[in-house]
Amino acid sequence: MSSQNDYRYVQYLPRVFQQKSGESDEHYFLGRFLRAFEAMLSGTTETAGESAGIEALLDELHHYFDPELAPSQFLPWLAGWVGLQLAEGVEYDGEQDNQERTLAPMQILPLAEARSTVNRKLLGSIVQLYKKRGTLDGLAEYLQVYAGEEAAIQIHNYEEPVRCGIAQRVGINTMVGAAEPSYFSVHIILPAYSRSLLQRKVRNLQEVIRKEKPFYTNSSLNIEVPQMCLGVYGRVGMETLLGGMTEQ
């Protein structure tokens, strides 16, 4: 015989409908009948596995719309709401999100703790970035998300002439001769531990520039992979890489 605690919903019934002393589960149909609704509404912890009920799902509903807490399977759905195409790859999804998308869990629940990846950061900031769409400031912020916090991004539009006392680098922030109309260049110091990662990032950055630059402009992208240089680069793992890049 089960105790009344095993049938949580029974305690809310009038006493005449509750399980009588000595009555077995087999003969107590009402308790077994209500247990199905209990599992659906309040969840269950049966041996087949724990599942959240509708009550818990409704309590956590707002987390499905939070890019940092939404389950990885929901990120493409959220991206569709704001017209965003998420980049694919472990460097953008993160290892955990990338693995979870291949699983088929019994329930897709929000994360217990906030998670930060490139795609999640982009989802969280894309609405504000849309307000700056078509501007160089918006392009710089967009590129920063894809390049990573460790990357240094500079955009030069060559509107100012060469001035003494300011560092000038031909092809980076200085141009010899006339430029194309409405021309700007993007210079990114991009640490990358492998050539394949560098190639993927460069392709994505080129695509971002193509889509997000002001429509009437011409542009170029310069990528600089930093190496140890005292007085210029010095933070290992940030803008300095020791030992060179790997092939993979």
Side-chain angles (χ1 to χ4, degrees):
M1 181 185 71
S2 297
S3 67
Q4 191 162 302
N5 291 332
D6 293 334
Y7 299 125
R8 287 183 293 169
Y9 282 15
V10 170
Q11 62 182 316
Y12 301 110
L13 297 176
R15 188 174 183 83
V16 67
F17 294 115
Q18 295 184 12
Q19 190 173 14
K20 297 179 176 60
S21 178
E23 186 177 10
S24 66
D25 290 346
E26 183 178 352
H27 292 91
Y28 187 50
F29 169 76
L30 188 57
R32 291 183 284 112
F33 177 74
L34 289 178
R35 178 169 283 180
F37 294 94
E38 182 180 326
M40 180 175 63
L41 297 174
S42 299
T44 180
T45 56
E46 298 293 335
T47 55
E50 183 175 353
S51 63
I54 293 177
E55 294 174 351
L57 293 177
L58 291 177
D59 287 342
E60 302 291 328
L61 184 62
H62 59 289
H63 289 158
Y64 286 94
F65 305 99
D66 185 340
E68 293 186 345
L69 292 172
S72 57
Q73 295 89 340
F74 267 64
L75 296 182
W77 178 70
L78 286 178
W81 277 34
V82 290
L84 179 64
Q85 182 69 38
L86 296 178
E88 297 181 357
V90 177
E91 64 270 23
Y92 300 106
D93 286 328
E95 292 185 4
Q96 289 179 297
D97 281 357
N98 196 54
Q99 292 174 357
E100 288 175 1
R101 287 187 183 179
T102 62
L103 303 177
M106 181 172 58
Q107 287 184 315
I108 301 177
L109 303 175
L111 305 181
E113 296 181 355
R115 186 179 297 170
S116 178
T117 65
V118 171
N119 281 337
R120 290 178 183 272
K121 289 179 181 178
L122 187 58
L123 271 172
S125 59
I126 191 61
V127 173
Q128 296 301 319
L129 285 176
Y130 278 156
K131 297 178 181 179
K132 300 180 181 180
R133 199 166 197 177
T135 68
L136 294 182
D137 288 341
L139 176 61
E141 292 184 28
Y142 212 119
L143 289 171
Q144 192 72 65
V145 174
Y146 273 93
E149 296 179 355
E150 69 278 6
I153 299 175
Q154 294 178 325
I155 297 181
H156 305 282
N157 55 16
Y158 302 102
E159 291 182 349
E160 297 184 359
V162 174
R163 291 182 294 173
C164 294
I166 298 179
Q168 307 290 340
R169 299 174 65 187
V170 175
I172 303 300
N173 59 356
T174 301
M175 177 176 291
V176 177
E180 297 181 52
S182 302
Y183 175 81
F184 70 91
S185 70
V186 179
H187 180 68
I188 303 179
I189 300 174
L190 184 63
Y193 59 83
S194 71
R195 297 188 187 279
S196 59
L197 173 61
L198 178 63
Q199 291 171 353
R200 289 196 300 271
K201 281 198 170 187
V202 169
R203 283 196 298 268
N204 280 309
L205 293 172
Q206 289 172 334
E207 186 66 14
V208 168
I209 293 174
R210 185 185 69 81
K211 290 182 177 180
E212 302 300 325
K213 71 175 183 176
F215 77 95
Y216 55 86
T217 59
N218 299 293
S219 64
S220 64
L221 172 63
N222 302 307
I223 299 294
E224 180 179 350
V225 179
Q227 298 177 352
M228 179 65 76
C229 182
L230 296 179
V232 181
Y233 308 125
R235 295 179 298 175
V236 176
M238 297 295 288
E239 72 275 2
T240 300
L241 183 66
L242 293 180
M245 290 189 294
T246 62
E247 293 297 329
Q248 299 297 324

